Amino acid sequence: MTFKVDPISPAEVDTNWLIVTIAEEENFHPQLQKIDDALNGQLTRLKENGDLTGKSGDVLKVLDADGIAATRLLIVGLGDPGKLTRAGFEKATMTAIRSITGNEYRSAGVVLNSSATHDVNLLAQAEIWSKSIIIGGSGQALHKAETDRYPIKNVTFLIESETVEPEVKQAVGRGRILGDAINLTRELVNRTPDEIYPESFALRARQVADEFNNLNCEIWDQKRLEDENMGSMLAVARGSDREPRLIVMEYLNGGPNAPTIALVGKGVTFDSGGYSLKPSQGMITMKCDMAGAATVLGAMAAIAELGLKANVIGMMGMVENLVSGNAYKLGDVLTARNGKTIEVHNTDAEGRLVLADVLCYAADRKVDYMIDLATLTGACVVALGTDVTGLFSNHQAWAGKVESAAKSCGEPLWPMPMFDDYNELLKSDLADVKNIGGRWGGAITAAKFLENFVNETPWVHLDIAGPAFAESSKPHQEGGGSGKMVHTLVETVSQLK
Ligand code: BES
Ligand code: MN
Ligand code: ZN
C-alpha cells in the first residue's frame, strides 16, 4: 500500500474513488464546493432534492462522476457538526471505507477538511482516515477460497495547502501504524484455536519482536513457569496437551528516570470451560479468549514502531482451558506465585487464575503502573453491553489517566465500583480466596479477585469480553476480532510522564 499526501485539488485527483465528508450544515465546505463546481452543481441539486443530507453514517455514491478526474465519488455524512466526536467521525470513515472494500479498487483520494466546523481537526481526520483505510481493507475470511475484503492499494490524502504537509504526513503515518497493529490483533483473534495455541502465539510474538530492534522478547516454557511458582496458571494449562507459555516483551526506550508500565494480557487460546464445561452456544466463539494478549501484542508493535519515549513491559499469559484426565478440578486448591491459595469453585473462571500469576510477576518486577486486559466475564457484557469496556482499579488517579486516554481516541470505557465489601463473596472455607464470587456482580468479584495479586501497584483492569469480539458484521465494523483498546493502550503509554 502506498499513502501520499498531496495539495492537489479534489477535482483533479485521478483515482477510482474520491472520498469526502459532509456534515449537516447550510453550506458546502470549500473542498466540497470545488467538487460541486466541477460537477456543474450536481451536489447542490442532490442536496435540494433531499438526497444529500449529511446525516451521520449516510453514504452517497456518485458512480461515473462526470467533470472530476476521479471515476467515482463517495460522500459520507457526519451528522450534526456540533455533536461530532472522534468516535463519530471514525464510525463514518469506517462505514465509508467498508462500503467500497468489498470490491477490488486500486486507488482512492481522501479529502481532508481544514475548514471543518466540527472539533475533529485536520490532523485527527488524517489519522482516523488512514487507520480506517487499513482496518476497513482487511476482513476475517482467512479460510475462504476467495477473499471478501480488498485493501485499497494507493491512497492520496488531499490537503488545501502544502504548509501542513509534514504534520499531515505524520498523522497519516500514525494512523497507518495503529491500523496495522489493530489488524495484527484482529488476525490473531480471528485465527482458529488450532492455529493459535500458546506456543504458536508465542512464535508470532517473537516474529513481531524481531521486526523491531528495540523490542526484546523472552518466552517462558512449562519448566520455567514451574521454576517461577506460577501454580495458578499452570493448573489451568494442565488439561491441555499443549504447553502453556508466558511471553515477556520489553520495550525500554524511556530512560532510567521514566516510569515503567506493565501491559498484561489474558491469553486463553481456547476456553472450553474445563470441567465446568460451557454449552456449545457459549463455547463457539471462545477462540477469542486470547484477545487480551493479542491486544497487548498489537499495542507493543505500535509502541515500538512509533518509537514512543517510554518503558513498557508486555506480558502475555498463554494457556488452553480443556478437559482431560489431567485437568484441574472443582475443589482443587492452587497456590499462586505470591503464595496465596485459591480454592477452585468453577474451572470456567480460568482467566483470573492465569492473570493472578502474571500480575504477581509484574508486581515483582516493581513496575510503576499496570494495566491488564481480559475477556474476563460475561457479567461485564450484561452490565455494559457489547461495545463498552469495563474499567476496574485500585488507584483513582491512574484510572483517570487511562480513562482520558480512551476518551481522546474515542474508545468507550466505563468505571465500575471496587468496594471492599465485595471481598466477602470471595471467602473460602479452606483457602485464602475462591475463584468465583457467586451469581451477582460477577465482573466486579472477578476484578476484586485480581486485586489480590497486584500488591499496591497502581493498576487498571479492563474487561473487554464485550468489545473484543463482534458476533456479526455491521456497516462500520467487520465481525470477529475488533482490535479495540489497542489504540487506548498506545495513547496511555504516549501520555505517560
Ligand atoms: N472467557 C470467559 C468470559 C467471556 C464470556 C468472554 C463471553 C467473552 C464472551 C470467562 O473465562 C468465563 O468463562 N467467565 C465466566 C465466569 C464465571 C464462571 C464466574 C462467565 O462469565 O460466565
Ligand atoms: Mn472461562
Ligand atoms: Zn475465559
Side-chain angles (χ1 to χ4, degrees), residues 266 268 271 289 348 350-351 375:
K266 168 180 173 182
V268 177
D271 181 12
D289 215 19
D348 198 11
E350 85 299 337
T375 45

Side-chain angles (χ1 to χ4, degrees), residues 19-203:
I19 307 174
V20 62
T21 56
I22 181 172
E24 277 175 302
E25 54 195 350
E26 195 74 11
N27 301 313
F28 291 151
H29 59 74
Q31 292 284 71
L32 196 53
Q33 188 59 53
K34 280 185 209 156
I35 300 170
D36 189 38
D37 292 345
L39 294 172
N40 288 316
Q42 188 179 8
L43 301 186
T44 304
R45 292 191 299 278
L46 284 166
K47 192 173 179 186
E48 280 166 5
N49 294 341
D51 292 315
L52 180 57
T53 61
K55 274 208 192 99
S56 170
D58 268 12
V59 171
L60 184 108
K61 290 174 177 171
V62 182
L63 307 175
D64 190 21
D66 190 16
I68 59 173
T71 314
R72 307 168 190 82
L73 174 65
L74 187 159
I75 311 176
V76 57
L78 298 175
D80 180 346
K83 290 189 189 143
L84 187 69
T85 59
R86 206 192 144 104
F89 192 87
E90 187 162 328
K91 201 167 174 180
T93 59
M94 283 297 298
T95 304
I97 294 299
R98 281 175 49 71
S99 80
I100 60 175
T101 50
N103 292 309
E104 195 168 4
Y105 295 108
R106 206 176 8 77
S107 60
V110 175
V111 178
L112 303 179
N113 175 11
S114 59
S115 57
T117 53
H118 51 74
D119 287 341
V120 183
N121 68 28
L122 184 73
L123 298 183
Q125 291 172 34
E127 183 184 304
I128 295 168
W129 272 116
S130 158
K131 179 181 161 193
S132 301
I133 289 162
I134 301 270
I135 298 171
S138 128
Q140 55 170 334
L142 297 165
H143 299 278
K144 284 192 185 181
E146 222 169 293
T147 183
D148 54 10
R149 284 277 153 212
Y150 302 85
I152 301 165
K153 290 187 194 76
N154 304 303
V155 183
T156 308
F157 296 86
L158 310 185
I159 50 176
E160 279 161 283
S161 133
E162 58 191 28
T163 55
V164 293
E165 196 174 315
E167 298 135 86
V168 171
K169 269 190 176 153
Q170 233 183 20
V172 166
R174 253 197 328 270
R176 195 177 175 155
I177 290 171
L178 285 163
D180 284 336
I182 287 164
N183 279 353
L184 170 66
T185 301
R186 291 174 61 210
E187 188 215 309
L188 289 168
V189 172
N190 286 337
R191 290 220 168 267
T192 69
D194 241 17
E195 292 172 315
I196 293 293
Y197 45 93
E199 189 186 1
S200 65
F201 186 100
L203 292 177

